[in-house]
Amino acid sequence: MAMKRGLSGASVHRNRGGGSRFPLAILLFFAVLVPFIFFVRRGLHATDRDDLSTDPIKQNVDWRERLALQNVKSLFTKEAMEVIASRTSDMGPLSLDIFKKNNLSASWKVIGAKTSVVDSDTYEPNREAADVRKETPKGKKDKFSDDRAQFIAKPADLARRQLREKRREKRASELVQQDDEAIVKFENAAIERSKSVDSAVLGKYSIWRKENENENSDSTVRLMRDQIIMAKVYLSIAKMKKKGDLYQQLEAHLKQSQRALGEANADADLHSSAPAKIKDMGQVLSKAREQLYDCKLVTKKLRAMLQSADEQVRSLKKQSTFLSQLAAKTLPNAIHCLSLRLTIDYNLLPPEKRKFPRSENLENPNLYHYALFSDNVLAASVVVNSTVMNAKDSSKHVFHLVTDKLNFGAMNMWFLLNPPGKATIHVENVDEFKWLNSSYCPVLRQLESAAMKEYYFKAGHPTTLSSGAANLKYRNPKYLSMLNHLRFYLPQVYPKLNKILFLDDDIVVQKDLTGLWSVNLQGKVNGAVETCGESFHRFDKYLNFTNPHISRNFDPNACGWAYGMNIFDLEEWKKRDITGIYHKWQNMNEDRVLWKLGTLPPGLITFYGLTHPLEKSWHVLGLGYNPSVDRTEIDNAAVIHYNGNMKPWLELAMTRYRSYWTKYIKYDHPYLHRCKLSE
């Protein structure tokens, strides 16, 4: 029994084990073999269907490859397929140039012509899908192509496509806007820099006047100039590529545009035919661009034109320098008229009426003495009037005027008719200083030499305006006049005085100057405002440091100072023999190897180590050449100086500074009215 029970238990155990394997086998069959058979049959069925028209060799292609091709969509997500589908219809990668085609310059727009650029708003993906289906052979249609056509044609997909297009357009417009903003910034910076450029076109002819500040007043003019530039470029390219018809069209329209533009600087100055010329030129340029545009070639032509324009600008700048130097040497007809009329009337005066009152003050060392050397009656009157009007007590001021023989009568007559308050006036003729002769004065002796006469009167006569600009500044007649060199002989001219304030005739006094006589010069001879705030106002700017006499005795970085308002201690002058020092260096510079002509370089040498710096508010310079002098500095200055070529009595004076000078002139004066002198 026991044995039977054991056998029956073992049998039951085996039956249980066999029953557990059967479900596992069934599960394996359905999980592996059934899908395998399904895909094999499907693949074979698709193969048979697609390969009905193929040859036997192609039917032997591995079924695994066909299966992979048919089910390639299963390898990508839906989003990836959308991107692939949309990219098949794009015209290329996203480029800023594609969007800039819709924002062409006005020079290239043709009125009435249709643009060839595809508008993204009217772009139809369905049309592309139709084209794709049309290009697919009938016998080659597969499931994938059908699915793709259905995918593109779905409304939801079209909406997403349009949304992507709008995003692209928005991003491109932002890039274009950023590009335009950067260009505007560069243009504004260039305009600001150009305002500080020294130009001969200043004063009332200045291009920076208020009436020319309208930003849109020259937009049409600039468009025509742009068209003319591009027409010249394509004209050259058309000639190079032998496009005869296009060359003639460009040449004809170029001449018409140039005639319509003329000398106009604003839209209001343009001829009435300008809009029509712009339209015609735009059409020709559009045609030329289609036929001739080559980026490298156009760039090369524009660079050549830029270089040519740069050379023209340099030549014109030389001519402008020459003409400004020439204008600075001239005397306006009105001032010449004033001098002639005053001279005639002075000669008609009896001798007893030619004397000034208070002549006893001329040698009184306790008064405030001024030295003014000038041949310009109007300029001298402004210096005297402005000094007296701003003085606390005009009766203590004495003016020593020295002029030449031609203007001696005019200078006397003017101040006899217009006495400056209670101030003392004395006028002298430099030609009557008998001690100032060629045996004593090196400058006079050098002017008598053949080399100096050759330099001034014969050699170097310019054949063109630009060639004569180089040394014209140093050939100015004022450097030949002893009125300019008389400043080195102050103790000889005024032997009884202890201190004297030297003033140029191109200055205006705005405050009381009596405080200068109480300045402690600390044993120095000259009190002056230093001008070394900039590197070009140091000694190496004025002196030739390649010469050993200069390099051994002076520091090239020594600070320069200004002539025009200088307080001189004449007692200390005599002790140190300043005039002898000046004679020594002037004799050494007979062949002009130490410095060019003028009085500032020998002044820097003569008073080297003997100049006491004054506060800058005493003397502000630059009103005759610098258009950006700070107004606060001008208003706070005791003396303002029109040093430079743009003197306030000339037509080329800067209008923004001229009022400081003209307010001391009475233009209703009979003499000024007769000579047509006006503001």
Side-chain angles (χ1 to χ4, degrees):
M1 290 294 293
M3 179 65 70
K4 190 180 288 187
R5 191 181 302 115
L7 290 171
S8 62
S11 174
V12 171
H13 182 71
R14 282 194 303 271
N15 291 335
R16 288 177 181 176
S20 63
R21 291 190 186 95
F22 182 73
L24 181 62
I26 293 174
L27 180 63
L28 181 64
F29 176 81
F30 282 101
V32 177
L33 296 181
V34 172
F36 178 78
I37 294 171
F38 172 77
F39 285 116
V40 168
R41 292 185 63 191
R42 182 181 178 185
L44 291 175
H45 177 70
T47 302
D48 294 337
R49 184 182 63 189
D50 294 336
D51 294 345
L52 289 177
S53 62
T54 58
D55 55 28
I57 297 176
K58 291 184 178 180
Q59 293 178 359
N60 293 329
V61 178
D62 189 3
W63 60 272
R64 294 182 180 85
E65 296 181 3
R66 296 179 179 275
L67 181 63
L69 291 172
Q70 294 296 329
N71 296 280
V72 67
K73 290 170 60 176
S74 64
L75 299 177
F76 301 96
T77 63
K78 183 178 181 181
E79 292 78 4
M81 289 303 300
E82 291 178 359
V83 173
I84 294 173
S86 64
R87 291 295 291 169
T88 59
S89 60
D90 289 341
M91 298 178 64
L94 180 62
S95 173
L96 187 60
D97 293 335
I98 296 175
F99 296 92
K100 280 188 174 180
K101 290 177 182 178
N102 292 327
N103 189 24
L104 295 176
S105 169
S107 300
W108 302 109
K109 291 183 179 178
V110 182
I111 301 175
K114 294 183 179 180
T115 177
S116 61
V117 182
V118 178
D119 191 352
S120 61
D121 294 336
T122 61
Y123 183 75
E124 298 180 5
N126 289 336
R127 187 190 309 165
E128 184 185 358
D131 294 340
V132 172
R133 288 196 298 271
K134 187 185 295 184
E135 292 174 1
T136 305
K138 294 182 179 179
K140 294 292 183 177
K141 285 186 178 180
D142 56 5
K143 185 178 180 181
F144 174 73
S145 62
D146 293 338
D147 291 342
R148 179 177 179 274
Q150 295 175 2
F151 173 78
I152 295 176
K154 291 179 181 180
D157 297 333
L158 292 177
R160 284 193 293 270
R161 175 71 178 274
Q162 292 176 358
L163 181 61
R164 285 194 298 272
E165 292 294 335
K166 290 180 180 180
R167 289 176 179 173
R168 282 186 177 185
E169 292 176 6
K170 182 179 179 181
R171 177 56 180 163
S173 64
E174 291 176 354
L175 292 174
V176 172
Q177 183 178 3
Q178 293 177 2
D179 190 20
D180 293 340
E181 290 175 355
I183 292 174
V184 170
K185 289 181 180 179
F186 283 122
E187 289 179 350
N188 291 336
I191 290 172
E192 292 299 324
R193 288 194 299 270
S194 68
K195 289 182 179 181
S196 62
V197 176
D198 184 17
S199 172
V201 188
L202 292 169
K204 69 177 184 180
Y205 304 107
S206 174
I207 60 175
W208 306 114
R209 294 179 66 189
K210 291 184 177 180
E211 56 264 32
N212 295 325
E213 289 179 358
N214 185 358
E215 295 180 358
N216 299 320
S217 64
D218 61 346
S219 58
T220 306
V221 171
R222 285 184 292 167
L223 175 58
M224 293 191 70
R225 289 173 179 170
D226 290 344
Q227 287 184 331
I228 289 173
I229 291 173
M230 292 310 302
K232 290 179 179 179
V233 172
Y234 285 125
L235 192 69
S236 176
I237 298 176
K239 184 177 181 180
M240 180 188 304
K241 294 188 176 182
K242 298 181 179 179
K243 300 283 186 179
D245 295 340
L246 186 58
Y247 178 88
Q248 293 178 359
Q249 294 180 26
L250 286 168
E251 187 177 30
H253 285 84
L254 177 61
K255 292 180 179 179
Q256 294 175 7
S257 295
Q258 288 175 335
R259 284 195 296 267
L261 180 61
E263 300 294 332
N265 291 317
D267 294 351
D269 302 331
L270 287 173
H271 191 267
S272 58
S273 63
K277 304 303 180 185
I278 292 174
K279 178 181 176 180
D280 296 340
M281 179 63 85
Q283 293 176 349
V284 175
L285 287 176
S286 180
K287 181 179 178 181
R289 186 174 187 271
E290 293 176 358
Q291 297 184 21
L292 303 175
Y293 184 77
D294 183 336
C295 184
K296 292 183 178 179
L297 192 57
V298 170
T299 303
K300 182 179 179 181
K301 294 296 181 183
L302 288 173
R303 185 180 292 112
M305 292 176 64
L306 180 62
Q307 292 175 350
S308 176
D310 184 58
E311 291 297 327
Q312 292 180 6
V313 168
R314 291 181 182 178
S315 176
L316 292 174
K317 189 174 181 180
K318 290 181 179 179
Q319 295 179 15
S320 173
T321 303
F322 177 88
L323 293 174
S324 63
Q325 296 286 352
L326 187 63
K329 297 193 302 180
T330 61
L331 190 68
N333 287 335
I335 298 179
H336 184 62
C337 166
L338 176 64
S339 179
L340 290 177
R341 287 184 177 275
L342 290 169
T343 301
I344 293 172
D345 291 345
Y346 178 77
N347 291 327
L348 296 176
L349 284 178
E352 62 272 10
K353 291 186 178 181
R354 298 181 183 181
K355 296 181 180 179
F356 289 98
R358 295 181 289 276
S359 59
E360 66 278 3
N361 294 333
L362 297 178
E363 296 181 351
N364 186 349
N366 297 321
L367 300 178
Y368 305 112
H369 295 265
Y370 300 85
L372 175 60
F373 309 144
S374 175
D375 58 357
N376 188 327
V377 176
L378 195 64
S381 70
V382 171
V383 176
V384 174
N385 290 340
S386 62
T387 305
V388 172
M389 291 176 64
N390 291 284
K392 295 179 180 179
D393 185 0
S394 62
S395 63
K396 295 183 178 181
H397 295 264
V398 182
F399 293 90
H400 302 267
L401 277 68
V402 180
T403 186
D404 55 17
K405 179 170 53 179
L406 293 176
N407 295 281
F408 177 74
M411 198 75 72
N412 276 280
M413 189 65 188
W414 176 263
F415 287 105
L416 286 171
L417 294 174
N418 307 281
K422 298 180 180 180
T424 303
I425 294 289
H426 181 56
V427 180
E428 295 182 272
N429 181 3
V430 68
D431 296 313
E432 294 181 357
F433 295 166
K434 301 304 180 182
W435 53 269
L436 199 62
N437 49 55
S438 58
S439 61
Y440 175 67
C441 179
V443 171
L444 290 175
R445 183 174 65 254
Q446 291 167 9
L447 290 176
E448 294 177 357
S449 66
M452 190 68 72
K453 291 179 181 178
E454 178 74 17
Y455 178 77
Y456 269 103
F457 305 112
K458 295 182 181 180
H461 285 183
T463 56
T464 63
L465 289 178
S466 58
S467 63
N471 295 319
L472 181 64
K473 176 180 179 180
Y474 303 106
R475 290 184 168 89
N476 196 314
K478 72 177 184 179
Y479 297 128
L480 300 176
S481 173
M482 280 309 302
L483 288 176
N484 201 44
H485 292 269
L486 196 61
R487 64 192 69 191
F488 294 103
Y489 301 96
L490 289 174
Q492 286 82 357
V493 180
Y494 311 110
K496 300 292 183 67
L497 301 180
N498 298 325
K499 277 189 176 182
I500 196 167
L501 183 64
F502 173 79
L503 298 176
D504 266 340
D505 62 356
D506 55 353
I507 64 102
V508 174
V509 179
Q510 300 187 129
K511 294 182 180 180
D512 183 70
L513 300 181
T514 55
L516 288 170
W517 275 265
S518 60
V519 172
N520 184 5
L521 298 180
Q522 300 179 1
K524 305 298 178 61
V525 179
N526 176 26
V529 171
E530 293 182 334
T531 59
C532 58
E534 302 291 342
S535 59
F536 55 82
H537 283 149
R538 298 184 183 274
F539 270 44
D540 58 352
K541 167 65 178 178
Y542 305 100
L543 304 177
N544 179 20
F545 275 86
T546 61
N547 189 285
H549 295 292
I550 298 295
S551 59
R552 283 197 305 262
N553 292 281
F554 305 101
D555 179 9
N557 294 318
C559 186
W561 45 268
Y563 255 134
M565 190 214 70
N566 308 81
I567 184 72
F568 290 110
D569 187 338
L570 300 183
E571 293 293 327
E572 197 68 28
W573 182 309
K574 297 172 186 176
K575 292 179 182 178
R576 296 179 179 269
D577 191 18
I578 298 300
T579 303
I581 297 174
Y582 162 72
H583 283 174
K584 168 191 170 183
W585 287 104
Q586 192 67 52
N587 285 325
M588 294 174 63
N589 193 48
E590 184 169 0
D591 51 359
R592 301 180 305 282
V593 296
L594 304 184
W595 68 82
K596 297 290 186 179
L597 293 179
T599 53
L600 181 56
L604 295 176
I605 289 178
T606 302
F607 295 99
Y608 182 67
L610 300 174
T611 301
H612 175 75
L614 301 176
E615 293 184 6
K616 292 186 179 297
S617 61
W618 279 112
H619 188 189
V620 170
L621 301 100
L623 278 69
Y625 70 91
N626 185 3
S628 58
V629 180
D630 188 81
R631 285 297 182 97
T632 304
E633 292 184 10
I634 296 175
D635 294 336
N636 295 333
V639 170
I640 55 175
H641 195 171
Y642 293 84
N643 58 312
N645 289 331
M646 300 174 191
K647 303 300 184 185
W649 55 83
L650 298 176
E651 285 291 327
L652 51 80
M654 284 182 271
T655 54
R656 61 179 303 186
Y657 304 139
R658 201 164 185 266
S659 60
Y660 293 99
W661 188 79
T662 56
K663 69 180 181 180
Y664 294 103
I665 299 176
K666 295 180 179 180
Y667 285 97
D668 57 350
H669 194 282
Y671 279 88
L672 274 59
H673 184 70
R674 287 181 213 164
C675 291
K676 298 181 181 180
L677 267 165
S678 61
E679 296 186 55

